[in-house]
Amino acid sequence: MTEPAGFILDDPVASALVDEYSRQLPEPIRLRGRDGPWQRLRTDLARVGTGVVHAEVGDWLPAEASGARLRRLLGRDWDRYARLNRDDVRARFAASRALLKYAAGAVLNVEPHTLELAYGPTGRPYLRGCPQIDLSLSHTRDLLVVALTRRGMVGVDAELADRRMGPSAHRRMCTPYEIERIERMSPEQRNQDLIRLWTLKEAYSKAIGQGLRFKFTEFGFGPQGRLVRLLLPDGTPAAGDEWTLGSYALDDRYRISVAIYDAGLGEPAETAVDTMLDDSIVSALTTVLGSLSRTPALVRTT
Amino acid sequence: MSQPESTDDFGRTVREAVCRVGMYAPGEVGAHSEFYGDLGFDSIMYLELMDELEAALPQLGPIYMDELVDHLGSVGQLVTALRRQSPVVLGMTARTGRHPATSNDDLAGDGRKGMPEVSTA
């Protein structure tokens, strides 16, 4: 059972705004294995443009830790996987890539092993040859989370809700506006809010491809119980409606946050690979066919 | 806390900080140890490591995550990056004419550029 955080407002006008905003945030979907429910994920992608799935590592472990099927599924990630020395890290790595490829495969309507997961210069993952979908991955302890969007860019992050943050964590990760607010909280409230802020900041910085390279003290978010908006260090708004941000308590055990950037791509009707033509290919075909139709001799001889 | 006076002390101090955060015994962490694949570090552990390093190496001044994130592949890579900030070690380098990165205890293993798993994936 998930509980969306940050959407509690009494004012009717504000509530309408929140309703509109909330509609752009999907409810995380629990996956217990390779059987889905994939249709719910496809529906979220079609309805709000973004889907979030979560699972336990144990449900997505490969049958054989070094078998041919896992090697085929991991593709270019196999060498990286093989270099990992810790069993728990290897298990999370394999299970997270399996979840990601099955989820993306369900949305794109292709076999998971045919998808190639690649990484940008800063380590940001993407699916090679599938620009219609952006994705993000997070894992902590036994939890795996994958977010997919067709709206532009997405970042997701997860942490244990009761994880202890160090006594100086707020100095390293909070804006002056956030610090002023956090220092008035009880120690327990403070830790909860630091986890919420940390996951929001990681989600946002992963969405823009910066990860921990981005100074977490230079952007922030408001208090829990309000609409989640990107803020400048002094607490004033930093962005318009292009960002949709949400934070969820998951099973009272984890905190998940999602950041979605709307690139203004409109409403594509279809994301499946086999029913979608790349715009550049359509444009090239149109040009060629147009020139053919204006060259009667050539048309006659072909 | 006493200040490290040699390059070996410097590397040992960093490794000890890594051990405290990851709760490893001193002998379990070496220059070749990779933060993600070998030690299981995640983003919040990196945050804790910055605190430990600041406390153990006050001569470096403030240590910022965003400046070190590209050097968090292996412990050796981190040591090399931190050494570049250290006035004590820079002074020794000038006397010995030896480049800090060639110190045997801190070579970064396979030379793979570090990219913390948790930062973007």
Side-chain angles (χ1 to χ4, degrees):
Chain A
M1 187 68 185
T2 58
E3 171 205 337
F7 307 111
I8 304 165
L9 290 170
D10 293 331
D11 178 77
V13 176
S15 293
L17 175 67
V18 170
D19 286 346
E20 176 60 30
Y21 190 84
S22 310
R23 275 197 287 274
Q24 300 175 54
L25 280 168
E27 184 82 1
I29 301 166
R30 170 80 157 99
L31 297 174
R32 297 186 190 280
R34 287 156 175 73
D35 294 330
W38 301 121
Q39 190 52 46
R40 278 188 60 194
L41 177 60
R42 293 189 194 100
T43 300
D44 280 352
L45 264 289
R47 188 175 59 86
V48 296
T50 304
V52 178
V53 294
H54 65 95
E56 295 283 328
V57 172
D59 290 337
W60 285 85
L61 286 176
E64 295 177 59
S66 57
R69 289 183 64 180
L70 177 61
R71 187 168 192 149
R72 187 171 76 142
L73 181 65
L74 289 180
R76 291 188 177 198
D77 264 338
W78 173 263
D79 289 343
R80 194 173 168 197
Y81 168 76
R83 283 201 305 270
L84 301 173
N85 290 320
R86 281 175 57 129
D87 288 344
D88 58 339
V89 174
R90 282 165 64 90
R92 272 198 296 269
F93 187 92
S96 62
R97 270 61 184 180
L99 172 65
L100 186 150
K101 288 199 174 184
Y102 272 80
V107 169
L108 297 165
N109 198 26
V110 297
E111 290 294 319
H113 71 271
T114 63
L115 294 169
E116 184 186 341
L117 186 62
Y119 301 89
T122 60
R124 190 183 199 282
Y126 65 95
L127 291 174
R128 196 183 297 279
C130 301
Q132 67 270 41
I133 287 290
D134 190 49
L135 53 84
S136 183
L137 167 69
S138 183
H139 42 73
T140 184
R141 303 297 163 93
D142 295 330
L143 179 73
L144 309 171
V145 187
V146 170
L148 304 111
T149 190
R150 59 175 176 76
R151 288 171 56 191
M153 299 187 297
V154 68
V156 67
D157 192 56
E159 279 297 343
L160 279 171
D162 62 354
R163 186 162 179 180
R164 291 290 109 187
M165 300 294 277
S168 65
H170 63 293
R171 180 174 61 85
R172 293 193 175 277
M173 59 172 275
C174 291
T175 63
Y177 168 75
E178 290 168 332
I179 288 174
E180 186 184 342
R181 190 166 47 74
I182 278 173
E183 285 182 341
R184 293 199 299 265
M185 295 178 176
S186 68
E188 192 53 38
Q189 281 180 317
R190 179 184 302 185
N191 200 78
Q192 286 177 12
D193 210 41
L194 284 173
I195 291 288
R196 182 186 69 94
L197 289 171
W198 179 262
T199 55
L200 279 167
K201 290 181 182 219
E202 276 237 69
Y204 172 75
S205 59
K206 286 162 83 170
I208 61 172
Q210 291 299 302
L212 299 175
R213 284 167 194 78
F214 205 65
K215 274 191 187 300
F216 280 17
T217 52
E218 293 186 357
F219 68 102
F221 303 96
Q224 186 159 357
R226 302 262 183 89
L227 200 64
V228 184
R229 288 293 196 198
L230 188 63
L231 303 176
L232 293 171
D234 64 0
T236 56
D241 295 336
E242 64 271 28
W243 282 98
T244 305
L245 302 130
S247 189
Y248 306 84
L250 186 68
D251 299 334
D252 292 328
R253 187 163 179 226
Y254 296 104
R255 169 66 57 177
I256 298 177
S257 291
V258 186
I260 306 158
Y261 176 75
D262 191 332
L265 302 175
E267 299 293 331
E270 188 58 76
T271 51
V273 167
D274 58 351
T275 54
M276 181 176 174
L277 277 176
D278 184 271
D279 286 347
S280 60
I281 295 174
V282 172
S283 175
L285 284 171
T286 305
T287 304
V288 170
L289 290 173
S291 63
L292 285 176
S293 66
R294 289 191 298 274
T295 314
L298 184 59
V299 173
R300 279 197 299 273
T301 57
T302 54
Chain B
M1 184 171 291
S2 62
Q3 304 232 334
E5 293 182 351
S6 73
T7 54
D8 287 346
D9 284 345
F10 189 90
R12 189 180 307 120
T13 301
V14 174
R15 289 196 296 276
E16 286 170 357
V18 173
C19 288
R20 283 193 294 277
V21 174
M23 291 188 282
Y24 288 99
E28 292 181 297
V29 173
H32 295 261
S33 300
E34 297 207 349
F35 281 104
Y36 174 65
D38 296 332
L39 305 176
F41 266 53
D42 65 16
S43 59
I44 292 181
M45 291 170 81
Y46 291 125
L47 202 67
E48 293 166 1
L49 180 59
M50 300 300 116
D51 282 345
E52 289 287 346
L53 291 170
E54 269 188 6
L57 298 164
Q59 73 272 27
L60 298 185
I63 296 175
Y64 299 107
M65 173 90 81
D66 54 293
E67 294 174 3
L68 281 179
V69 68
D70 286 329
H71 307 283
L72 291 172
S74 69
V75 174
Q77 285 175 327
L78 174 62
V79 171
T80 300
L82 289 170
R83 179 170 281 144
R84 292 196 191 105
Q85 294 186 30
S86 169
V88 173
V89 177
L90 285 175
M92 287 192 60
T93 305
R95 286 197 301 275
T96 61
R98 194 177 65 172
H99 190 281
T102 59
S103 171
N104 285 337
D105 68 330
D106 297 323
L107 288 175
D110 60 6
R112 184 172 67 89
K113 188 170 182 179
M115 198 67 73
E117 169 80 5
V118 293
S119 70
T120 47

